[in-house]
Amino acid sequence: MAKKVCVTGAGGFQASWLVKLLLSRGYMVHGTVRDPDNEKNAHLKKLDSAAENLQLFKADLLDYESISAAIKGCDGVFHVACPVPPGKVPNPEKDLIEPAVMGTLNMLKAASESKVERIIVVSSVAAVAYNPNWPKDKVKDEECWSDEEYCKKTENWYCLAKTMAESEAFEYSKKTGLDVVTVCPSLIFGPLLQPTVNASSMVVVRLLNGGYETLENRFRLIVDVRDVAEALILAYENPKASGRYICTSHEIKFQDLANKLRDMFPGYDYPKNIVEVDEDDIHNISKLSAEKLKKLGWKCRPIEETLVDTVQHMIETGLLNKD
């Protein structure tokens, strides 16, 4: 019999690709969404094998009963859902931290009750990289955690929420024996399955359509959405998987990224004012290592393939238009 797994936040950018890949491999999938009948989730129902093997559940991470109903009977859980605000957060505790932490705890309790085999929690390099106490000459690996007090001091609420949620997941695992593995992706690009543009894809849109009047030439770590989906399933299926896994493929400066895109897709309104910045060691995420994940067997595609597929999809679907 095919294994049955639950994917939280199934209609989102990363989760949609995960659902697609799981279905292609014969899994039965319970996907949680806010409204199964909403048009923005229609793309899930059109996936190959969705009619037979995908069931969408109306669920809210802060509503334990709804999450429990979705997880019941599943062998595993992929916890992908997490709020990603587009801009400034008026009330970080209510809008970010509570949904991330309490949502994760509700999921863990429900999974424990259903006796699932393994839980894969999608965290972020945001929970890894921001640590002023980490030795400057040492590569940031899975042992490095973002410092919660530093995140509060700098009002980096997204990093704080991801750090607290991931930390709570491991604490719960220690107390209960629940098998929890986390994957920490960097900035995710790739073609979209969902109809709306998510926060990371908006970076590409803005790079091409004049959305950056001034561009700070910072380092960015990029990974393909399809490669992250592969990493999540690898972490679930491989019995040797344990602990945390940084998931990133390519290190590139913003100007070099814009230049690559310009070479492949000329004629768009690329940033004209590039500002050099002196990135300190706290914020220099170029020092992150994905070696642990690669040793597990993970492979990633070239950045050029990711960029071409991302932009080509945006052109075909009308998300990008030349003047």
Side-chain angles (χ1 to χ4, degrees):
M1 289 180 62
K3 292 234 175 181
K4 187 182 292 184
V5 294
C6 179
V7 177
T8 65
F13 178 43
Q14 182 59 67
S16 293
W17 274 103
L18 175 60
V19 170
K20 178 181 173 71
L21 192 56
L22 286 166
L23 290 173
S24 75
R25 297 189 180 181
Y27 280 86
M28 298 179 69
V29 180
H30 285 188
T32 75
V33 294
R34 289 189 179 275
D35 182 1
D37 297 320
N38 192 304
E39 187 62 26
K40 69 179 183 179
N41 295 313
H43 65 285
L44 294 172
K45 299 174 184 179
K46 297 174 185 175
L47 295 172
D48 289 346
S49 300
E52 305 83 19
N53 292 332
L54 174 64
Q55 185 176 356
L56 296 182
F57 288 75
K58 180 181 175 65
D60 184 326
L61 285 173
L62 296 182
D63 178 358
Y64 176 78
E65 294 303 324
S66 68
I67 292 299
S68 179
I71 293 176
K72 188 176 181 180
C74 288
D75 301 294
V77 177
F78 293 86
H79 183 47
V80 190
C82 183
V84 183
K88 191 172 176 63
V89 184
N91 188 338
E93 183 65 39
K94 181 182 177 182
D95 298 336
L96 254 181
I97 296 168
E98 183 182 348
V101 176
M102 292 307 300
T104 298
L105 285 173
N106 278 340
M107 177 276 303
L108 290 165
K109 290 174 185 175
S112 184
E113 187 179 80
S114 293
K115 296 180 170 55
V116 302
E117 295 174 351
R118 175 172 283 179
I119 295 174
I120 304 300
V121 175
V122 179
S123 186
S124 168
V125 294
V128 178
Y130 299 95
N131 187 336
N133 304 310
W134 192 257
K136 291 182 179 181
D137 58 348
K138 187 177 179 182
V139 171
K140 291 176 180 174
D141 58 15
E142 285 77 8
E143 296 300 316
C144 185
W145 283 80
S146 291
D147 184 271
E148 292 183 16
E149 291 306 314
Y150 178 76
C151 292
K152 292 175 187 176
K153 181 181 176 182
T154 56
E155 297 187 355
N156 197 332
W157 305 119
Y158 177 72
C159 289
L160 178 61
K162 295 302 280 188
T163 304
M164 290 177 67
E166 187 183 0
S167 178
E168 286 286 352
F170 281 122
E171 283 300 314
Y172 191 92
S173 173
K174 287 178 186 176
K175 292 175 185 175
T176 64
L178 198 62
D179 187 1
V180 173
V181 178
T182 68
V183 176
C184 304
S186 58
L187 185 64
I188 303 173
F189 288 169
L192 290 75
L193 293 176
Q194 84 282 6
T196 54
V197 182
N198 57 296
S200 61
S201 299
M202 186 56 69
V203 174
V204 179
V205 174
R206 293 180 69 194
L207 277 170
L208 274 74
N209 74 358
Y212 292 103
E213 290 184 16
T214 298
L215 185 68
E216 292 187 344
N217 194 23
R218 297 186 180 277
F219 271 108
R220 287 293 177 265
L221 294 178
I222 295 170
V223 65
D224 192 292
V225 64
R226 296 161 293 187
D227 293 338
V228 178
E230 292 279 3
L232 296 173
I233 296 177
L234 177 65
Y236 178 70
E237 293 182 340
N238 192 319
K240 295 181 180 178
S242 65
R244 313 173 83 194
Y245 289 91
I246 294 170
C247 182
T248 188
S249 308
H250 305 287
E251 170 191 321
I252 191 169
K253 279 211 162 187
F254 243 146
Q255 183 169 16
D256 295 330
L257 177 60
N259 290 342
K260 273 185 178 292
L261 286 166
R262 185 185 289 110
D263 290 342
M264 294 184 286
F265 298 95
Y268 286 91
D269 189 10
Y270 291 95
K272 298 174 180 66
N273 187 21
I274 309 290
V275 178
E276 294 296 333
V277 291
D278 183 20
E279 295 188 277
D280 58 39
D281 288 298
I282 299 171
H283 294 94
N284 191 351
I285 61 171
S286 66
K287 292 185 177 180
L288 266 64
S289 168
E291 283 306 307
K292 183 183 176 188
L293 184 58
K294 290 176 180 176
K295 288 178 180 176
L296 200 66
W298 182 67
K299 296 177 182 176
C300 54
R301 64 198 71 208
I303 189 171
E304 291 79 11
E305 180 182 342
T306 298
L307 296 177
V308 167
D309 290 353
T310 302
V311 176
Q312 197 63 51
H313 170 83
M314 290 177 172
I315 294 171
E316 291 170 359
T317 54
L319 295 174
L320 277 173
N321 291 299
K322 290 186 180 180
D323 296 332

